[in-house]
Amino acid sequence: MPPSIETAQSWQGRTMVDPAGDKLGTIDAIYLDDETGQPEWALVYTGLFSTKAAFVPLAGAEATGDAIQVPYEKAQVSDAPSMEAGGQLSQDEEAELYRHYGLDYSEHRSDSGLPARERDRDSDAVSDDVPDTAVGRDTSGPTTDDAMTRSEEELHVGTQTREAGRARLRKHVTTEQQTVTVPVQREEVRVEREPITDANLDAATSGPAISEEEHEVTLREEEVVVDKRAVPKERVRLDTETVTNEHQVAEEVRNEHIQVDGDQDQLPRQDQR
């Protein structure tokens, strides 16, 4: 269901967004169905500098906060057929727009155009009944008034945020050779000889006088045992900081210039000094 006329007209100047909330542009005008008088199209200016005009159906549009949301993706609106923004959409132009947005279109004659007061302002000044002697009559276009408007293009430069890259932390394992000196001990056999004295005579003669014997001593030594364990050393994190650079934008702008043409006798004389 399209909105009411009062509601749709109150949307002029507000931002239109797609189902994902991405900005489509600013609503410049509301077009009504000539037969039903109901709001049918919104003229939206899109692009970074709002230079491209696109027609978006108002069917399914609804206010969401300060924006107007429509059920059409941003890419679909950007690729919409280009129509001249003015007072009227022809039946053929409407049919092409309906096909683009995947909507059913009736072949019944029903053009769309600006509300009557806007058409009166923009186009009703055109009349075949205006006499050639009317003051300010335009010979190359519709007669307006007794003045010509001179316009200039102005650059409106802004910024928008986009993803410039990504940074990530990645941990990997490397292997290095580490050498540690460790003292180790071992036992060696040393032969000691002592003479027979009164102190050791009993121990020396406790056995047979003549016999064969073996005496064994166990030798011990230390061996190196290696063990490894993980020890936390530090913590590392990513952070961002904002730096500001100046960037120059160069673009051509058009200016209108007005010159006076006519018979020299009819032009005002300049003072001779």
Side-chain angles (χ1 to χ4, degrees), residues 22-44:
D22 291 335
K23 180 179 177 181
L24 300 177
T26 303
I27 300 176
D28 182 73
I30 301 297
Y31 278 60
L32 308 181
D33 186 288
D34 280 356
E35 182 178 350
T36 65
Q38 295 301 309
E40 189 171 12
W41 300 97
L43 179 63
V44 179

Side-chain angles (χ1 to χ4, degrees), residues 39-245:
E40 189 171 12
W41 300 97
L43 179 63
V44 179
Y45 279 92
T46 63
L48 181 59
F49 301 109
S50 298
T51 56
K52 180 183 177 182
F55 284 91
V56 183
L58 287 175
E62 59 182 10
T64 304
D66 295 333
I68 307 303
Q69 191 173 59
V70 293
Y72 307 104
E73 301 293 339
K74 186 174 184 178
Q76 187 176 18
V77 175
S78 299
D79 295 339
S82 297
M83 304 296 177
E84 184 177 353
Q88 191 105 2
L89 283 176
S90 69
Q91 188 177 24
D92 292 340
E93 289 174 331
E94 274 198 299
E96 185 176 359
L97 287 170
Y98 267 83
R99 285 192 297 270
H100 175 75
Y101 287 104
L103 301 175
D104 294 331
Y105 179 70
S106 173
E107 294 297 332
H108 185 68
R109 184 73 187 182
S110 177
D111 296 340
S112 296
L114 292 169
R117 59 178 179 276
E118 295 190 26
R119 290 201 300 269
D120 292 344
R121 181 189 64 198
D122 294 340
S123 60
D124 282 356
V126 182
S127 175
D128 295 336
D129 297 333
V130 177
D132 291 346
T133 57
V135 176
R137 180 179 183 274
D138 292 336
T139 60
S140 60
T143 298
T144 54
D145 52 21
D146 58 353
M148 182 181 292
T149 300
R150 186 183 69 84
S151 301
E152 295 181 356
E153 290 182 336
E154 296 181 351
L155 285 182
H156 294 272
V157 182
T159 61
Q160 64 179 5
T161 302
R162 63 179 178 86
E163 184 175 301
R166 295 190 178 187
R168 62 176 58 88
L169 288 177
R170 180 181 290 114
K171 183 169 66 173
H172 60 278
V173 178
T174 61
T175 302
E176 63 180 11
Q177 192 74 24
Q178 190 176 75
T179 303
V180 178
T181 302
V182 181
V184 294
Q185 295 179 340
R186 63 186 178 87
E187 295 178 340
E188 294 182 349
V189 174
R190 183 176 72 248
V191 177
E192 295 182 357
R193 300 176 183 272
E194 59 182 20
I196 302 298
T197 63
D198 292 340
N200 60 16
L201 179 60
D202 292 340
T205 59
S206 60
I210 300 296
S211 65
E212 293 183 358
E213 293 185 40
E214 288 184 1
H215 191 76
E216 185 179 86
V217 175
T218 301
L219 301 177
R220 290 177 173 83
E221 66 178 4
E222 293 179 336
E223 64 179 9
V224 177
V225 178
V226 179
D227 187 21
K228 293 182 287 187
R229 59 191 178 95
V231 179
K233 295 296 184 180
E234 64 179 353
R235 290 177 59 81
V236 181
R237 65 172 55 87
L238 288 177
D239 198 1
T240 62
E241 63 178 4
T242 301
V243 295
T244 302
N245 296 322

